[in-house]
Amino acid sequence: MPTRRRLLRSVGAAAVGGVLAGCTGLDELGGANDGVLAAVDASDGTERWTFEANDWIRSSPAFADGTVYVGSDDTYCYAVDAGDGTERWRASLGAGSEDWVRSAPTVVDGTVYVGSDSSHLYALDTDDGSEEWSIETEDWVRSSPTVAEGTVYVGDESGVLYAVGADSGTVRWRYRTDDAIEGTPAVADGTVYVGSRESGVHAVDIESGTDRWQAATGEEFVAGPAVADERVYIGNTDGRMYALGVDSGTVQWDRTLDDSGVYRRATLADGALYVSTSEGRLYAMDTDGAPRWEVGLGGEAYSAPAVADGMVYVGSDDKTLYAFDTDGVRQWTYSMPDWIRTDPLVVDGTVYAGSD
C-alpha cells in the first residue's frame, strides 16, 4: 500500500504543478509553491492579514488562546499570532522534503497534536513548539487528531486507527481497517467512528479498540464522520450522503448529491447538514436528508463548510472563499492565491483559511 500511495502522490503533485505553472498573480506572494494563511472579517470578507509559509497549506487551521496553528507542505507546523499574523514559532515535523504536514492540528490543554507525512504523530508545547512526545505510525498521518478524555485518536494511510495517551504518548491500542483513514475520527458515547477508503465506516469501542460494527457499502470514504441525534453522517467519493444508526450502522437514509464525491466531513448546525462536493456545489439539507438548498461554486470543493452566526463559509479550487447566509444567498467572496483545500475556521468574527 505505501508504495502505491507514494506513486499516486508523486503523479498528483506533478499534475498539480502543471496547473500552477500556468497561473498568474502569485509572484506578489513569493512564488507558486508558497502557501498563504489568511484572516478575513467574517461579516464582509475584508482582509485583516495574511501569513506566508514556504509551501502549500492544506492543513486546516486550529485556534487557541490568541494563536492560530497550521501545517504546511514545507514540513513545518506554525504558530501564528491571531491578532496580526506574525509568526510565534515553527516546528519541523520531518527530515525529508516530502514530510508534508496536511493533518489539521488539534489543541488541548497547552498541547498541539498534529500528524505528518513523516509517519509520526506529534505532541508539541503551545508555548514554543518543543516536542513533548511523538510516536511512529505505519504510514503518513493526514487524519486530524481527535482528543477525548485524555486519549488522542488518529488514523494513518495504512488504515490503522490509533488510541494514544494524550499526556504520555503511550499507544493504548491499534485498530486496523483495510485502507487509508484520512478523515477526522468522531468520538461519542464510548465509541470512535471513522471512515476508510475501501472498507466503509467503522465503529470502535474506545476502551478496548475492538470492533462494534462495520458498514461496508462498497464505496470509498475519505471524509470523516459527524455524529449527532443517534446518527452517523458521512459522505463518500461517489457523491452520496449516508445517515447510519450509531448502535448498529444500519442505513437510516442515503441521498445522492451529484456525480462527484464528498471528500470532507459534513457540518451540523442548528438542525441542518452542510456538505460540499468535488462537483463544486454546496448543499444544505435537513438531518433526515430532505433538501433545503444548493448553490454552485466556481470550482471543485475539498473544503468542509464552517457555520457561525448565521453564515456558511467554504473554500473552492477557483481560489475563492465564499460566505453564504443560511438560506444560500451569497454575502461576499474573498480571493486567495490558489486552491483552497482547507476547512475555514471561524473565531470571534474572523475567518481563517489556507491555500496552496
Side-chain angles (χ1 to χ4, degrees):
M1 281 297 184
T3 301
R4 176 176 67 87
R5 291 197 186 93
R6 292 192 185 280
L7 176 61
L8 288 173
R9 182 170 75 165
S10 298
V11 172
V16 169
V19 173
L20 290 178
C23 293
T24 59
L26 295 180
D27 291 342
E28 297 176 2
L29 293 165
N33 287 331
D34 295 336
V36 171
L37 174 69
V40 301
D41 188 291
S43 63
D44 60 12
T46 303
E47 182 179 295
R48 293 183 170 172
W49 52 257
T50 58
F51 170 83
E52 185 177 327
N54 295 316
D55 209 330
W56 297 348
I57 293 178
R58 291 198 176 178
S59 161
S60 299
F63 179 98
D65 299 324
T67 302
V68 182
Y69 301 89
V70 71
S72 169
D73 280 10
D74 63 10
T75 78
Y76 287 99
C77 178
Y78 291 90
V80 180
D81 187 288
D84 59 14
T86 57
E87 182 180 320
R88 290 186 169 177
W89 53 257
R90 68 177 70 182
S92 177
L93 303 188
S97 61
E98 290 193 353
D99 290 337
W100 304 339
V101 184
R102 294 191 172 181
S103 167
T106 298
V107 187
V108 177
D109 296 335
T111 300
V112 183
Y113 303 94
V114 61
S116 166
D117 278 14
S118 66
S119 299
H120 281 80
L121 171 68
Y122 294 88
L124 310 174
D125 189 290
T126 55
D127 289 335
D128 57 10
S130 59
E131 184 178 311
E132 296 180 357
W133 54 258
S134 65
I135 65 161
E136 186 173 4
T137 55
E138 294 187 16
D139 210 332
W140 319 329
V141 179
R142 294 190 174 178
S143 167
S144 300
T146 295
V147 183
E149 297 181 358
T151 301
V152 184
Y153 302 93
V154 73
D156 74 7
E157 288 285 318
S158 70
V160 177
L161 174 67
Y162 300 84
V164 184
D167 292 335
S168 63
T170 301
V171 178
R172 295 176 174 170
W173 50 256
R174 294 175 175 86
Y175 172 87
R176 189 175 299 277
T177 71
D178 292 338
D179 204 351
I181 299 171
E182 296 188 3
T184 304
V187 178
D189 298 325
T191 304
V192 54
Y193 302 90
V194 293
S196 171
R197 266 195 178 270
E198 292 186 0
S199 60
V201 183
H202 298 253
V204 183
D205 185 277
I206 63 171
E207 295 296 332
S208 63
T210 55
D211 182 67
R212 288 192 166 178
W213 54 257
Q214 297 181 31
T217 64
E219 296 128 352
E220 294 188 354
F221 290 87
V222 175
V227 181
D229 303 324
E230 302 298 312
R231 288 173 175 166
V232 180
Y233 301 96
I234 189 168
N236 67 21
T237 57
D238 287 343
R240 181 174 292 181
M241 276 298 300
Y242 286 90
L244 310 174
V246 295
D247 292 331
S248 63
T250 303
V251 176
Q252 306 292 310
W253 57 260
D254 66 276
R255 177 187 168 198
T256 298
L257 301 180
D258 51 42
D259 293 332
S260 65
V262 178
Y263 286 84
R264 307 297 280 186
R265 60 167 174 75
T267 300
L268 281 158
D270 300 324
L273 279 170
Y274 299 90
V275 187
S276 63
T277 72
S278 59
E279 181 84 0
R281 301 195 70 78
L282 174 66
Y283 293 84
M285 65 191 77
D286 292 333
T287 53
D288 63 2
R292 291 191 176 186
W293 50 262
E294 63 181 89
V295 294
L297 309 174
E300 298 178 349
Y302 301 93
S303 168
V307 183
D309 299 324
M311 298 275 279
V312 186
Y313 307 91
V314 68
S316 170
D317 277 9
D318 67 349
K319 312 176 190 179
T320 303
L321 177 65
Y322 291 86
F324 299 91
D325 66 22
T326 51
D327 291 322
V329 179
R330 185 188 300 183
Q331 300 300 301
W332 54 258
T333 60
Y334 172 80
S335 296
M336 295 193 73
D338 216 283
W339 297 344
I340 304 170
R341 294 194 168 185
T342 65
D343 305 338
L345 174 69
V346 188
V347 181
D348 297 333
T350 301
V351 184
Y352 304 94
S355 81
D356 286 359

